[in-house]
Amino acid sequence: MNFIAQVVWIFPKFDTIYLFYIFLMGVAAFIYVKVMNYLQNKQTSVVNHWVEFQRYAVARKCNQVELNILHAFYDHLNEEEREIYLLPENRNKLKNALYRYFLKSNANTTEKEVDLFDKLFRSGVEFKKEILSLNELTLGEVAALEADGREELTYVMQKTADELLLSIKGLSKDLLVPGKEAKLYVFRPSSGGYLLEGRVIRTNESGVIFHFNGKIERKGESHLMLTDKVSLTVSPWPPPDEKKQVLELDKNKLLLTEENIDKQLEVLKRIAKDQKENNEKRFDIKETPRPFITLSERLSDRGILFTFPPGISAEIWKQQDLWEVSFGFDNGPMFHIRAKMMPTKQKSDLYLLRYVDADETVRKTLYDEIRKRGGIREALT
């Protein structure tokens, strides 16, 4: 008997409830795809916000250390905060959030935090202003109150001609003692840091009154450079002796021993072999470092970019450790500074003279001369 023929095929009964199940599965798949696309687009959007904000920070002259600080702050935020704070229209919200973050964090120096606030949030008009009095300080300006060898973050709430009302939030109680000598650190991206001397005269639950005594000290100045060409005289240092005593033996008394003759023959054989192999470069006489005159491409209070004049080999930087560079300005002082010479990575024909013995007095004088002549922020490499 054929067993297959006896099998009765029973098809499952199709109920309308299955249509409902299929519908639910389709809706669930649709919602899943929509949610995943939303989360992916949201994450992409937040990442793009960070990339754009990073570009903004670089354009505002933030260095790599400051970018690292900002990235640590970014990692500290939740996804919703990242999306809100990094938008260009929310700079004030970002400033407040960053200030709160710095009050809770001890990872950075307070002065570095002040510098970062000025670079990010200072208006273009105020970017290049120097601090000559309290008039140049702005309400809401982030600063650091320094006393007893430490500094703590604060900001300016009100001001008069010689007094400031500073935020008390985040300041230690022992910094709020009336009569305490203190300094207020403020920063301007174009000219650097300033210390305003004074003392704490009153405190209450709202803030601290800082009385400014009129003395301002420069601290941690930014570096400026001139792009105008300045004539440079560059000389090897120490200068070579004018005359070197040459010790010569009486040739008539030289002993031609068998050993000496063998050594001379060996040298002649090597020379002949090199000449036969066209290795003529071994016999080139290296140029001796000597003084030359050229023009600066960029001149700052830390170094000078220049190009070698015709007739001077660029290879001489390898043969001399230190150089003395001399230059001056119209109606200004002359400078004689020792420096190390090295090539730059930027262009093959640009070389850098990096000062090695310019003390603070020389640097300050040079900085002031560059500033008088319209110096811009330094970029030597």
mmCIF file of all heavy atoms in Angstrom, residues 73 92-105 110 113-114 117 121 140-144 152-157 166-171:
data_model
loop_
_atom_site.group_PDB
_atom_site.id
_atom_site.type_symbol
_atom_site.label_atom_id
_atom_site.label_comp_id
_atom_site.label_asym_id
_atom_site.label_seq_id
_atom_site.Cartn_x
_atom_site.Cartn_y
_atom_site.Cartn_z
ATOM 1 N N PHE A 73 35.352 69.099 28.697
ATOM 2 C CA PHE A 73 34.056 69.694 29.038
ATOM 3 C C PHE A 73 32.952 69.072 28.182
ATOM 4 O O PHE A 73 31.864 68.738 28.680
ATOM 5 C CB PHE A 73 34.127 71.206 28.832
ATOM 6 C CG PHE A 73 32.788 71.897 28.801
ATOM 7 C CD1 PHE A 73 32.042 72.046 29.958
ATOM 8 C CD2 PHE A 73 32.276 72.401 27.611
ATOM 9 C CE1 PHE A 73 30.803 72.678 29.934
ATOM 10 C CE2 PHE A 73 31.048 73.031 27.577
ATOM 11 C CZ PHE A 73 30.304 73.173 28.739
ATOM 12 N N ASN A 92 25.985 82.253 25.173
ATOM 13 C CA ASN A 92 25.844 82.651 26.576
ATOM 14 C C ASN A 92 25.549 81.450 27.472
ATOM 15 O O ASN A 92 26.065 81.351 28.592
ATOM 16 C CB ASN A 92 24.735 83.702 26.726
ATOM 17 C CG ASN A 92 25.200 85.069 26.277
ATOM 18 O OD1 ASN A 92 26.385 85.382 26.306
ATOM 19 N ND2 ASN A 92 24.256 85.905 25.854
ATOM 20 N N LYS A 93 24.716 80.536 26.987
ATOM 21 C CA LYS A 93 24.443 79.314 27.747
ATOM 22 C C LYS A 93 25.712 78.481 27.890
ATOM 23 O O LYS A 93 25.971 77.895 28.951
ATOM 24 C CB LYS A 93 23.343 78.501 27.058
ATOM 25 C CG LYS A 93 21.971 79.151 27.087
ATOM 26 C CD LYS A 93 20.937 78.267 26.402
ATOM 27 C CE LYS A 93 19.556 78.931 26.446
ATOM 28 N NZ LYS A 93 18.525 78.100 25.775
ATOM 29 N N LEU A 94 26.490 78.431 26.810
ATOM 30 C CA LEU A 94 27.755 77.705 26.863
ATOM 31 C C LEU A 94 28.692 78.345 27.884
ATOM 32 O O LEU A 94 29.349 77.649 28.671
ATOM 33 C CB LEU A 94 28.409 77.706 25.476
ATOM 34 C CG LEU A 94 29.832 77.141 25.412
ATOM 35 C CD1 LEU A 94 29.833 75.665 25.755
ATOM 36 C CD2 LEU A 94 30.440 77.366 24.033
ATOM 37 N N LYS A 95 28.760 79.676 27.886
ATOM 38 C CA LYS A 95 29.640 80.381 28.827
ATOM 39 C C LYS A 95 29.272 80.057 30.270
ATOM 40 O O LYS A 95 30.145 79.770 31.102
ATOM 41 C CB LYS A 95 29.552 81.888 28.571
ATOM 42 C CG LYS A 95 30.471 82.716 29.449
ATOM 43 C CD LYS A 95 30.365 84.196 29.098
ATOM 44 C CE LYS A 95 31.308 85.021 29.976
ATOM 45 N NZ LYS A 95 31.227 86.469 29.641
ATOM 46 N N ASN A 96 27.978 80.076 30.584
ATOM 47 C CA ASN A 96 27.534 79.772 31.950
ATOM 48 C C ASN A 96 27.828 78.327 32.322
ATOM 49 O O ASN A 96 28.263 78.037 33.444
ATOM 50 C CB ASN A 96 26.033 80.055 32.081
ATOM 51 C CG ASN A 96 25.706 81.535 31.954
ATOM 52 O OD1 ASN A 96 26.540 82.384 32.251
ATOM 53 N ND2 ASN A 96 24.504 81.843 31.482
ATOM 54 N N ALA A 97 27.576 77.410 31.375
ATOM 55 C CA ALA A 97 27.837 75.999 31.650
ATOM 56 C C ALA A 97 29.320 75.733 31.849
ATOM 57 O O ALA A 97 29.720 74.958 32.726
ATOM 58 C CB ALA A 97 27.295 75.147 30.498
ATOM 59 N N LEU A 98 30.161 76.386 31.041
ATOM 60 C CA LEU A 98 31.610 76.220 31.154
ATOM 61 C C LEU A 98 32.106 76.784 32.488
ATOM 62 O O LEU A 98 32.985 76.203 33.137
ATOM 63 C CB LEU A 98 32.299 76.918 29.981
ATOM 64 C CG LEU A 98 33.790 76.666 29.793
ATOM 65 C CD1 LEU A 98 34.080 75.188 29.581
ATOM 66 C CD2 LEU A 98 34.331 77.469 28.605
ATOM 67 N N TYR A 99 31.544 77.910 32.916
ATOM 68 C CA TYR A 99 31.924 78.515 34.192
ATOM 69 C C TYR A 99 31.577 77.572 35.348
ATOM 70 O O TYR A 99 32.395 77.344 36.248
ATOM 71 C CB TYR A 99 31.216 79.854 34.365
ATOM 72 C CG TYR A 99 31.659 80.618 35.589
ATOM 73 C CD1 TYR A 99 32.823 81.375 35.574
ATOM 74 C CD2 TYR A 99 30.909 80.588 36.759
ATOM 75 C CE1 TYR A 99 33.239 82.082 36.701
ATOM 76 C CE2 TYR A 99 31.310 81.280 37.887
ATOM 77 C CZ TYR A 99 32.480 82.023 37.855
ATOM 78 O OH TYR A 99 32.887 82.710 38.970
ATOM 79 N N ARG A 100 30.380 76.998 35.317
ATOM 80 C CA ARG A 100 29.980 76.051 36.368
ATOM 81 C C ARG A 100 30.878 74.825 36.373
ATOM 82 O O ARG A 100 31.245 74.306 37.441
ATOM 83 C CB ARG A 100 28.514 75.630 36.169
ATOM 84 C CG ARG A 100 27.498 76.745 36.377
ATOM 85 C CD ARG A 100 26.095 76.171 36.480
ATOM 86 N NE ARG A 100 25.703 75.477 35.254
ATOM 87 C CZ ARG A 100 25.091 76.059 34.233
ATOM 88 N NH1 ARG A 100 24.823 77.369 34.269
ATOM 89 N NH2 ARG A 100 24.752 75.362 33.175
ATOM 90 N N TYR A 101 31.247 74.375 35.196
ATOM 91 C CA TYR A 101 32.142 73.210 35.088
ATOM 92 C C TYR A 101 33.512 73.506 35.696
ATOM 93 O O TYR A 101 34.062 72.688 36.441
ATOM 94 C CB TYR A 101 32.276 72.820 33.613
ATOM 95 C CG TYR A 101 33.345 71.795 33.317
ATOM 96 C CD1 TYR A 101 33.167 70.452 33.636
ATOM 97 C CD2 TYR A 101 34.546 72.175 32.702
ATOM 98 C CE1 TYR A 101 34.144 69.506 33.357
ATOM 99 C CE2 TYR A 101 35.527 71.236 32.419
ATOM 100 C CZ TYR A 101 35.318 69.911 32.752
ATOM 101 O OH TYR A 101 36.295 68.987 32.476
ATOM 102 N N PHE A 102 34.053 74.693 35.417
ATOM 103 C CA PHE A 102 35.358 75.062 35.950
ATOM 104 C C PHE A 102 35.332 75.222 37.467
ATOM 105 O O PHE A 102 36.324 74.945 38.145
ATOM 106 C CB PHE A 102 35.859 76.354 35.298
ATOM 107 C CG PHE A 102 36.382 76.165 33.895
ATOM 108 C CD1 PHE A 102 36.418 77.230 32.998
ATOM 109 C CD2 PHE A 102 36.840 74.939 33.463
ATOM 110 C CE1 PHE A 102 36.905 77.062 31.711
ATOM 111 C CE2 PHE A 102 37.323 74.752 32.172
ATOM 112 C CZ PHE A 102 37.354 75.820 31.301
ATOM 113 N N LEU A 103 34.206 75.692 38.013
ATOM 114 C CA LEU A 103 34.105 75.831 39.470
ATOM 115 C C LEU A 103 34.198 74.476 40.173
ATOM 116 O O LEU A 103 34.708 74.379 41.286
ATOM 117 C CB LEU A 103 32.787 76.513 39.846
ATOM 118 C CG LEU A 103 32.668 78.009 39.558
ATOM 119 C CD1 LEU A 103 31.310 78.525 40.005
ATOM 120 C CD2 LEU A 103 33.781 78.803 40.238
ATOM 121 N N LYS A 104 33.731 73.428 39.502
ATOM 122 C CA LYS A 104 33.736 72.084 40.108
ATOM 123 C C LYS A 104 34.994 71.294 39.780
ATOM 124 O O LYS A 104 35.276 70.283 40.414
ATOM 125 C CB LYS A 104 32.517 71.296 39.613
ATOM 126 C CG LYS A 104 31.181 71.902 40.037
ATOM 127 C CD LYS A 104 30.032 71.103 39.456
ATOM 128 C CE LYS A 104 28.683 71.700 39.823
ATOM 129 N NZ LYS A 104 27.551 70.946 39.227
ATOM 130 N N SER A 105 35.745 71.739 38.777
ATOM 131 C CA SER A 105 36.903 70.976 38.304
ATOM 132 C C SER A 105 38.211 71.598 38.795
ATOM 133 O O SER A 105 38.354 72.814 38.839
ATOM 134 C CB SER A 105 36.909 70.928 36.771
ATOM 135 O OG SER A 105 38.093 70.335 36.288
ATOM 136 N N THR A 110 43.660 78.044 36.994
ATOM 137 C CA THR A 110 42.607 79.053 36.884
ATOM 138 C C THR A 110 42.948 80.087 35.814
ATOM 139 O O THR A 110 42.074 80.564 35.088
ATOM 140 C CB THR A 110 42.408 79.739 38.248
ATOM 141 O OG1 THR A 110 42.141 78.736 39.232
ATOM 142 C CG2 THR A 110 41.241 80.706 38.210
ATOM 143 N N GLU A 113 41.958 78.895 32.498
ATOM 144 C CA GLU A 113 40.513 78.992 32.302
ATOM 145 C C GLU A 113 40.100 80.422 31.937
ATOM 146 O O GLU A 113 39.246 80.629 31.076
ATOM 147 C CB GLU A 113 39.807 78.532 33.582
ATOM 148 C CG GLU A 113 40.010 77.039 33.875
ATOM 149 C CD GLU A 113 39.558 76.629 35.256
ATOM 150 O OE1 GLU A 113 39.221 77.510 36.069
ATOM 151 O OE2 GLU A 113 39.558 75.411 35.531
ATOM 152 N N VAL A 114 40.714 81.407 32.610
ATOM 153 C CA VAL A 114 40.429 82.811 32.279
ATOM 154 C C VAL A 114 40.820 83.096 30.833
ATOM 155 O O VAL A 114 40.068 83.728 30.083
ATOM 156 C CB VAL A 114 41.189 83.753 33.240
ATOM 157 C CG1 VAL A 114 41.017 85.217 32.805
ATOM 158 C CG2 VAL A 114 40.677 83.586 34.666
ATOM 159 N N PHE A 117 38.208 81.699 28.438
ATOM 160 C CA PHE A 117 36.983 82.496 28.368
ATOM 161 C C PHE A 117 37.167 83.713 27.463
ATOM 162 O O PHE A 117 36.284 84.049 26.665
ATOM 163 C CB PHE A 117 36.570 82.948 29.772
ATOM 164 C CG PHE A 117 35.644 81.990 30.465
ATOM 165 C CD1 PHE A 117 36.125 81.100 31.402
ATOM 166 C CD2 PHE A 117 34.295 81.972 30.155
ATOM 167 C CE1 PHE A 117 35.278 80.213 32.037
ATOM 168 C CE2 PHE A 117 33.432 81.084 30.783
ATOM 169 C CZ PHE A 117 33.931 80.195 31.734
ATOM 170 N N PHE A 121 34.837 84.135 24.142
ATOM 171 C CA PHE A 121 33.654 84.985 24.294
ATOM 172 C C PHE A 121 33.927 86.484 24.209
ATOM 173 O O PHE A 121 32.998 87.275 24.280
ATOM 174 C CB PHE A 121 32.960 84.666 25.625
ATOM 175 C CG PHE A 121 32.670 83.200 25.813
ATOM 176 C CD1 PHE A 121 33.326 82.461 26.779
ATOM 177 C CD2 PHE A 121 31.754 82.552 25.003
ATOM 178 C CE1 PHE A 121 33.065 81.106 26.950
ATOM 179 C CE2 PHE A 121 31.482 81.207 25.157
ATOM 180 C CZ PHE A 121 32.138 80.469 26.138
ATOM 181 N N GLY A 140 30.556 91.055 33.688
ATOM 182 C CA GLY A 140 30.492 89.652 33.292
ATOM 183 C C GLY A 140 31.834 89.067 32.924
ATOM 184 O O GLY A 140 31.928 87.870 32.609
ATOM 185 N N GLU A 141 32.885 89.878 32.947
ATOM 186 C CA GLU A 141 34.220 89.386 32.592
ATOM 187 C C GLU A 141 34.715 88.360 33.613
ATOM 188 O O GLU A 141 34.671 88.579 34.818
ATOM 189 C CB GLU A 141 35.208 90.546 32.522
ATOM 190 C CG GLU A 141 36.643 90.084 32.347
ATOM 191 C CD GLU A 141 37.511 91.127 31.670
ATOM 192 O OE1 GLU A 141 36.975 92.155 31.215
ATOM 193 O OE2 GLU A 141 38.710 90.901 31.590
ATOM 194 N N VAL A 142 35.166 87.229 33.102
ATOM 195 C CA VAL A 142 35.714 86.179 33.957
ATOM 196 C C VAL A 142 37.155 86.522 34.304
ATOM 197 O O VAL A 142 37.938 86.912 33.436
ATOM 198 C CB VAL A 142 35.626 84.806 33.267
ATOM 199 C CG1 VAL A 142 36.299 83.734 34.107
ATOM 200 C CG2 VAL A 142 34.170 84.437 33.017
ATOM 201 N N ALA A 143 37.494 86.409 35.593
ATOM 202 C CA ALA A 143 38.826 86.754 36.070
ATOM 203 C C ALA A 143 39.232 85.751 37.149
ATOM 204 O O ALA A 143 38.484 84.822 37.466
ATOM 205 C CB ALA A 143 38.828 88.181 36.632
ATOM 206 N N ALA A 144 40.423 85.954 37.713
ATOM 207 C CA ALA A 144 40.896 85.088 38.797
ATOM 208 C C ALA A 144 41.410 85.970 39.923
ATOM 209 O O ALA A 144 42.245 86.845 39.694
ATOM 210 C CB ALA A 144 41.990 84.149 38.307
ATOM 211 N N GLU A 152 41.608 81.765 42.346
ATOM 212 C CA GLU A 152 40.296 81.147 42.237
ATOM 213 C C GLU A 152 39.424 81.961 41.278
ATOM 214 O O GLU A 152 39.528 83.185 41.202
ATOM 215 C CB GLU A 152 39.634 81.031 43.616
ATOM 216 C CG GLU A 152 40.415 80.088 44.533
ATOM 217 C CD GLU A 152 39.718 79.854 45.871
ATOM 218 O OE1 GLU A 152 38.571 80.316 46.037
ATOM 219 O OE2 GLU A 152 40.334 79.219 46.744
ATOM 220 N N LEU A 153 38.564 81.240 40.562
ATOM 221 C CA LEU A 153 37.767 81.837 39.496
ATOM 222 C C LEU A 153 36.656 82.728 40.054
ATOM 223 O O LEU A 153 36.001 82.389 41.045
ATOM 224 C CB LEU A 153 37.162 80.726 38.644
ATOM 225 C CG LEU A 153 36.906 81.009 37.165
ATOM 226 C CD1 LEU A 153 38.203 81.358 36.461
ATOM 227 C CD2 LEU A 153 36.248 79.800 36.503
ATOM 228 N N THR A 154 36.435 83.859 39.409
ATOM 229 C CA THR A 154 35.354 84.769 39.762
ATOM 230 C C THR A 154 34.977 85.564 38.515
ATOM 231 O O THR A 154 35.537 85.329 37.443
ATOM 232 C CB THR A 154 35.777 85.715 40.910
ATOM 233 O OG1 THR A 154 34.658 86.528 41.278
ATOM 234 C CG2 THR A 154 36.916 86.621 40.487
ATOM 235 N N TYR A 155 34.011 86.483 38.640
ATOM 236 C CA TYR A 155 33.696 87.358 37.509
ATOM 237 C C TYR A 155 33.193 88.702 38.029
ATOM 238 O O TYR A 155 32.769 88.833 39.186
ATOM 239 C CB TYR A 155 32.689 86.713 36.559
ATOM 240 C CG TYR A 155 31.311 86.479 37.109
ATOM 241 C CD1 TYR A 155 30.317 87.451 36.992
ATOM 242 C CD2 TYR A 155 30.989 85.281 37.737
ATOM 243 C CE1 TYR A 155 29.048 87.241 37.496
ATOM 244 C CE2 TYR A 155 29.724 85.054 38.242
ATOM 245 C CZ TYR A 155 28.750 86.039 38.120
ATOM 246 O OH TYR A 155 27.500 85.822 38.622
ATOM 247 N N VAL A 156 33.268 89.700 37.162
ATOM 248 C CA VAL A 156 32.937 91.072 37.527
ATOM 249 C C VAL A 156 31.422 91.280 37.413
ATOM 250 O O VAL A 156 30.842 91.079 36.350
ATOM 251 C CB VAL A 156 33.672 92.074 36.607
ATOM 252 C CG1 VAL A 156 33.290 93.506 36.969
ATOM 253 C CG2 VAL A 156 35.182 91.873 36.707
ATOM 254 N N MET A 157 30.811 91.723 38.532
ATOM 255 C CA MET A 157 29.368 91.981 38.531
ATOM 256 C C MET A 157 29.061 93.476 38.399
ATOM 257 O O MET A 157 28.108 93.863 37.738
ATOM 258 C CB MET A 157 28.735 91.413 39.803
ATOM 259 C CG MET A 157 28.827 89.892 39.895
ATOM 260 S SD MET A 157 27.782 89.197 41.207
ATOM 261 C CE MET A 157 28.618 89.816 42.679
ATOM 262 N N LEU A 166 32.941 91.561 42.837
ATOM 263 C CA LEU A 166 33.233 90.265 42.246
ATOM 264 C C LEU A 166 32.286 89.210 42.793
ATOM 265 O O LEU A 166 31.873 89.268 43.958
ATOM 266 C CB LEU A 166 34.678 89.854 42.550
ATOM 267 C CG LEU A 166 35.774 90.823 42.097
ATOM 268 C CD1 LEU A 166 37.137 90.330 42.577
ATOM 269 C CD2 LEU A 166 35.758 90.986 40.589
ATOM 270 N N SER A 167 31.980 88.220 41.962
ATOM 271 C CA SER A 167 31.128 87.114 42.391
ATOM 272 C C SER A 167 31.809 86.342 43.518
ATOM 273 O O SER A 167 33.003 86.037 43.456
ATOM 274 C CB SER A 167 30.850 86.185 41.218
ATOM 275 O OG SER A 167 30.253 84.981 41.662
ATOM 276 N N ILE A 168 31.029 86.017 44.535
ATOM 277 C CA ILE A 168 31.565 85.289 45.682
ATOM 278 C C ILE A 168 31.495 83.776 45.476
ATOM 279 O O ILE A 168 32.130 83.013 46.191
ATOM 280 C CB ILE A 168 30.795 85.700 46.948
ATOM 281 C CG1 ILE A 168 31.616 85.420 48.208
ATOM 282 C CG2 ILE A 168 29.448 84.994 47.020
ATOM 283 C CD1 ILE A 168 31.007 86.032 49.445
ATOM 284 N N LYS A 169 30.699 83.358 44.483
ATOM 285 C CA LYS A 169 30.482 81.935 44.251
ATOM 286 C C LYS A 169 31.780 81.238 43.875
ATOM 287 O O LYS A 169 32.468 81.627 42.925
ATOM 288 C CB LYS A 169 29.448 81.744 43.141
ATOM 289 C CG LYS A 169 29.029 80.295 42.937
ATOM 290 C CD LYS A 169 27.944 80.190 41.875
ATOM 291 C CE LYS A 169 27.502 78.741 41.692
ATOM 292 N NZ LYS A 169 26.454 78.612 40.658
ATOM 293 N N GLY A 170 32.134 80.217 44.613
ATOM 294 C CA GLY A 170 33.340 79.447 44.321
ATOM 295 C C GLY A 170 34.578 79.921 45.050
ATOM 296 O O GLY A 170 35.581 79.221 45.083
ATOM 297 N N LEU A 171 34.544 81.127 45.643
ATOM 298 C CA LEU A 171 35.718 81.643 46.350
ATOM 299 C C LEU A 171 35.791 81.051 47.754
ATOM 300 O O LEU A 171 34.779 80.939 48.453
ATOM 301 C CB LEU A 171 35.676 83.168 46.431
ATOM 302 C CG LEU A 171 35.822 83.933 45.112
ATOM 303 C CD1 LEU A 171 35.700 85.424 45.358
ATOM 304 C CD2 LEU A 171 37.153 83.625 44.442
#
